[in-house]
Amino acid sequence: MKKTLALIFTCLISIQGFSIDIVDIFYLIPTNIDLESKKELVDFYNQETSKIKESERKRTDCKDLINVIDKSNGFLSLSIHCGDGGIEICYWNRESGDKIIALNQFGYATSKFTQTIDFYLLKEDSVLTKLDSDIIVPYEEIRTELLKSEFNAKLTKEAKQHGLFDNEAIVFELPRFGKVIKASYGLDNSGNWLAKFLDNKTCELNWTDLKLEVKNNATQHLEYN
């Protein structure tokens, strides 16, 4: 069956016009946090967290906590599950007037991993469209950019054992500043074992219409000691 690009559903948005900010989008897009809890998190951020310098913000108990609300740059980050996971939200304005929204939900085990990355298209008629992430994200091109170009049979087997060919091994960082998404392997590299598999630590993705593509010459090369 041919994949569809988008699953469309209509949301009731209690916002006048199309002048919305990142908090409105946080309320709008579906997450595992209900709307009332989202409002409580935003209220706590406005009343308490925002008064503390960003570099000095610390979790005081085992509750979800918004770390950053940056309305001018369209970015929000949230720590969940006692710091074992997080959510990033940002959006881009298109020339058509629509907005592309990204929702990155990640966790930590022995390493950082992206649980899900979802994309939405918000139109001026308040219709929110969930896009197909598997079509939007060029996983194969990301691996090509990050991994060495040639593996022998032994290294290929070892790379598969480490999950380097699995989409789930790729983690994403949404932009607070600028427009590009960063992609990398979030695996534990305490022994610097990734160096024998990778040409680059990260690669950057930018938008071409409703798809992401690897940005040329935007990689961070490994340094070998």
Side-chain angles (χ1 to χ4, degrees):
M1 181 181 292
K2 190 175 181 180
K3 284 188 175 181
T4 57
L5 178 61
L7 300 173
I8 301 178
F9 55 94
T10 302
C11 297
L12 299 176
I13 307 174
S14 57
I15 302 170
Q16 297 298 320
F18 200 55
S19 177
I20 69 174
D21 58 34
I22 193 65
V23 173
D24 299 320
I25 288 172
F26 177 50
Y27 292 156
L28 173 64
I29 60 175
T31 68
N32 57 2
I33 305 173
D34 63 72
L35 180 58
E36 288 306 311
S37 296
K38 288 179 179 180
K39 291 180 178 179
E40 290 177 4
L41 288 169
V42 171
D43 287 343
F44 184 84
Y45 178 89
N46 290 333
Q47 295 170 15
E48 303 291 340
T49 309
S50 63
K51 300 174 183 177
I52 303 171
K53 188 176 179 180
E54 276 193 42
S55 60
E56 298 175 356
R57 293 174 187 173
K58 296 180 180 179
R59 177 186 296 276
T60 57
D61 52 33
C62 228
K63 292 182 179 179
D64 296 348
L65 176 71
I66 293 178
N67 302 307
V68 173
I69 294 177
D70 188 342
K71 291 185 178 181
S72 61
N73 288 295
F75 180 85
L76 183 149
S77 68
L78 170 70
S79 293
I80 58 176
H81 305 315
C82 300
D84 292 333
I87 292 174
E88 295 175 333
I89 305 170
C90 70
Y91 68 91
W92 297 259
N93 293 313
R94 304 181 74 209
E95 291 183 2
S96 61
D98 302 337
K99 299 180 187 296
I100 300 175
I101 302 167
L103 169 65
N104 184 31
Q105 301 185 75
F106 55 89
Y108 298 94
T110 56
S111 59
K112 183 178 179 180
F113 62 97
T114 290
Q115 295 174 318
T116 59
I117 184 163
D118 296 314
F119 300 93
Y120 300 85
L121 183 66
L122 181 61
K123 294 182 175 292
E124 290 187 88
D125 58 6
S126 300
V127 173
L128 186 69
T129 305
K130 185 175 183 181
L131 306 175
D132 190 330
S133 297
D134 288 335
I135 293 177
I136 290 176
V137 181
Y139 286 102
E140 189 61 37
E141 289 81 358
I142 292 171
R143 283 189 287 270
T144 298
E145 186 72 10
L146 297 179
L147 294 174
K148 291 182 181 295
S149 57
E150 294 183 5
F151 284 172
N152 58 32
K154 181 179 178 181
L155 280 180
T156 299
K157 181 179 179 180
E158 189 175 347
K160 288 180 178 179
Q161 290 173 340
H162 286 297
L164 294 179
F165 298 111
D166 299 336
N167 290 350
E168 293 78 11
I170 303 294
V171 298
F172 300 93
E173 180 183 342
L174 299 185
R176 177 177 177 181
F177 307 105
K179 297 182 179 180
V180 299
I181 297 175
K182 291 184 178 180
S184 62
Y185 282 103
L187 303 172
D188 178 19
N189 191 35
S190 56
N192 203 34
W193 61 272
L194 279 175
K196 64 181 177 180
F197 297 110
L198 302 187
D199 269 339
N200 301 295
K201 287 183 178 180
T202 65
C203 69
E204 295 183 349
L205 309 170
N206 58 9
W207 289 97
T208 298
D209 194 25
L210 288 178
K211 290 186 179 181
L212 290 168
E213 64 177 12
V214 174
K215 187 176 179 182
N216 292 331
N217 301 319
T219 55
Q220 180 183 355
H221 291 279
L222 293 168
E223 295 181 1
Y224 298 95
N225 296 324

